[in-house]
Amino acid sequence: MIPRYTHPDMGRIWSDQHRYETWLLVETAAAEAMAAAGIIPADAARDIRERGAFDVARIEEIEQITQHDVIAFTTAVAEKVGPSARWLHFGMTSSDVIDTAQALQMREACDVILSDLSAAADALRDRAIEHRATPMIGRTHGVHAEPMTFGLKLALWYAELDRGRERLRRAQSTVSVGKISGAVGTFAHLPPEIETEVCRRLGLEAATVESQIIQRDRHAELMAALAITAASLEKFALAIRGLQVTEIGEVEEPFAKGQKGSSAMPHKRNPIGCEQIVGLARVVRANCQASFENIALWHERDISHSSVERVILPDSFIALDHMLRRFTRIVRGMLVYPERMRENLNRSRGVVFSGTVLLELARKGVTREQAYEWVQRNAMRSLAEQRDFKALLLADAEITRALSRDEIERAFDLGEQLKHVDYIFDRVFHAVHTGG
């Protein structure tokens, strides 16, 4: 488990106490639905609702004997309910309770993650707007490519997290189903109307068809949504780490007063928050693989998925909750160094404008192949001899026969490179709020 820094609501959702609370909620809803249908006495349903309670320690004590958690639970509750407890769990199988209750837990946990995602997205939006016009060099393959802005990078992350929100909402809907259809899903002991009513009372959809359990492709979809979100956070954290490399030095995750970076080197300011996010993403991704393994079970059910879910569901939700909260704090407090970004942009002596020069030559009627040759030879010379790229172009007779000095100068206009940034921002931050 990953309890440190975790929002208390997430820990509570996956606690033993809350798990049994949701079991009792399902049992109570089932008793009330059966009473309304005339299957069990109304006073029995009332007793279960009013007297139904449990003590976790007592359940664990009974389970030491029964080796069955649901029987231990119903026995402990029956001790509180009294004679009416003979109608508790009437006509139901263990998975009717476990899987329906787990749907409630997953739905609650999704709500926490969705709140976390909104907070992280808000932080990214604010910093993106702040740095909308902060120029930096874009990198592909780790090599200088063309100019962009730091705000664009953050807007890209914002849009990705927004897709993560939509993905999680869909997965939340997929797992928000219950079943009260019995040992092999045939409704042999209770009519389908009871399932429908129980799910209605709990705010769930009744599964259209199930075996003894709710099918685990639903859970795998949810775990995939969690894993993709974790992978997105990993991507963002890696980018921050890369920009914090000493030789780049464009961005730095916050470093608190009194914080220490190394036991041996007092100067160190390490991106430990981002590194933690990267590491935990591996855990969530591995757990997702385990959820895929849970889909294939023997016949109408075996128990091999149960032990796995007791680990992967709490751990994945708790880890992702922590990751999102840590990432939000990093983004809010992130140190950005625009002067260093400008310095690095200029470090390649203008070769990053080579693509624009190539297009200008093409506009003048030079074949692409010929233009590429002329531009590349000057770019390679600039890199090899550490000379100004624009000066080399202005001294190249073949290029100056095709382009005037003003045309060459215009090809190095940073404003021209970034002229559509506002359009992109409008598209990102308008579209995500209107569904466009």
Side-chain angles (χ1 to χ4, degrees), residues 281-297:
R282 299 168 186 165
V283 174
V284 180
R285 195 157 47 241
N287 288 349
C288 180
Q289 177 61 37
S291 74
F292 294 157
E293 302 292 336
N294 277 352
I295 294 173
L297 303 175

Side-chain angles (χ1 to χ4, degrees), residues 175-407:
V175 299
S176 293
V177 299
K179 59 91 60 182
I180 310 290
S181 54
V184 291
T186 58
F187 297 100
H189 306 294
L190 292 173
E193 292 76 20
I194 298 302
E195 178 185 80
T196 301
E197 177 60 16
V198 170
C199 290
R200 186 194 67 78
R201 290 168 180 263
L202 298 174
L204 300 173
E205 291 292 323
T208 53
V209 57
E210 290 299 349
S211 60
Q212 187 178 101
I213 61 169
I214 292 172
Q215 302 307 289
R216 261 44 190 181
D217 63 290
R218 296 178 183 273
H219 302 64
E221 181 179 339
L222 172 60
M223 287 295 299
L226 299 181
I228 292 170
T229 298
S232 293
L233 294 176
E234 178 184 24
K235 165 184 165 179
F236 310 154
L238 274 174
I240 294 171
R241 286 172 58 191
L243 294 176
Q244 188 168 335
V245 168
T246 302
E247 291 79 5
I248 296 177
E250 295 177 356
V251 171
E252 189 176 13
E253 76 171 50
F255 193 85
K257 183 178 180 180
Q259 184 175 338
K260 304 296 188 291
S262 166
S263 63
M265 298 170 284
H267 71 279
K268 295 281 279 180
R269 292 161 63 101
N270 302 324
I272 58 169
C274 289
E275 289 171 347
Q276 184 182 84
I277 289 169
V278 169
L280 289 175
R282 299 168 186 165
V283 174
V284 180
R285 195 157 47 241
N287 288 349
C288 180
Q289 177 61 37
S291 74
F292 294 157
E293 302 292 336
N294 277 352
I295 294 173
L297 303 175
W298 280 34
H299 305 295
E300 278 57 62
R301 185 238 181 159
D302 63 51
I303 202 171
S304 60
H305 65 287
S306 177
S307 56
V308 177
E309 288 173 0
R310 291 170 190 246
V311 175
I312 66 173
L313 286 174
D315 278 12
S316 297
F317 273 106
I318 289 171
L320 187 57
D321 179 38
H322 169 70
M323 292 166 68
L324 281 162
R325 291 172 181 276
R326 188 88 193 244
F327 178 69
T328 300
R329 292 197 300 272
I330 289 170
V331 172
R332 291 285 184 202
M334 181 170 56
L335 302 174
V336 181
Y337 301 107
E339 299 83 3
R340 182 68 169 178
M341 290 179 174
R342 177 75 74 160
E343 178 186 341
N344 285 338
L345 194 158
N346 294 330
R347 188 178 298 277
S348 54
R349 300 176 182 83
V351 296
V352 295
F353 296 95
S354 68
T356 305
V357 178
L358 174 67
L359 295 179
E360 289 300 316
L361 288 168
R363 288 190 182 96
K364 292 294 186 175
V366 180
T367 67
R368 183 177 179 83
E369 292 74 17
Q370 184 64 77
Y372 197 100
E373 180 187 336
W374 291 350
V375 175
Q376 187 184 45
R377 76 185 179 206
N378 284 285
M380 295 304 103
R381 187 178 176 190
S382 172
L383 294 169
E385 300 176 11
Q386 299 186 9
R387 295 179 60 182
D388 183 72
F389 179 55
K390 182 166 61 176
L392 290 173
L393 294 176
L394 290 169
D396 189 312
E398 289 180 306
I399 288 179
T400 55
R401 276 199 297 269
L403 297 176
S404 68
R405 172 178 286 273
D406 286 346
E407 288 168 334

Side-chain angles (χ1 to χ4, degrees), residues 98-114:
I98 293 172
D99 280 8
T100 303
Q102 188 166 261
L104 297 175
Q105 288 178 280
M106 291 186 292
R107 186 178 65 185
E108 285 184 271
C110 284
D111 283 339
V112 175
I113 298 297
L114 286 167

